Amino acid sequence: MLVRIDRLLVKPVPVAVKMMPDAEMEPLYDGAKKMILVDDVDNRQFLCELVESMWEELPKKKEKNCT
C-alpha cells in the first residue's frame, strides 16, 4: 500500500497558533485530533522559523519502562 500525504500539518502549540492565527485546522486521518494546516510550504524562511519556534513547546519524548 502507498500512502501519499500532500499537506503539512503541525501540532497546535501556542507559538504555531500565534504564527498562523488564520490557518485551517484538520485531522491527519479520521478520528485524529485536529492539527494546523501549513499552507506556506514554499516559504523556506517561514518554515525554519516555525520549526525553531515550536521546538521548545513540543512535548518531551516519553521514556519507556523496560523492566
Side-chain angles (χ1 to χ4, degrees), residues 14-32:
V15 72
V17 173
K18 185 177 179 181
M19 290 180 74
M20 299 176 289
D22 299 323
E24 294 182 38
M25 300 280 289
E26 59 181 66
L28 181 59
Y29 54 86
D30 289 339

Side-chain angles (χ1 to χ4, degrees), residues 4-55:
R4 181 174 176 257
I5 299 174
D6 58 355
R7 57 200 169 145
L8 175 60
L9 299 169
V10 296
K11 190 172 186 83
V13 295
V15 72
V17 173
K18 185 177 179 181
M19 290 180 74
M20 299 176 289
D22 299 323
E24 294 182 38
M25 300 280 289
E26 59 181 66
L28 181 59
Y29 54 86
D30 289 339
K33 293 181 182 179
K34 289 189 175 184
M35 299 180 76
I36 299 172
L37 175 63
V38 181
D39 59 356
D40 197 7
V41 294
D42 294 326
N43 185 338
R44 189 175 183 170
Q45 182 177 351
F46 172 75
L47 291 176
C48 287
E49 289 174 13
L50 176 64
V51 171
E52 289 173 355
S53 298
M54 288 179 62
W55 190 257

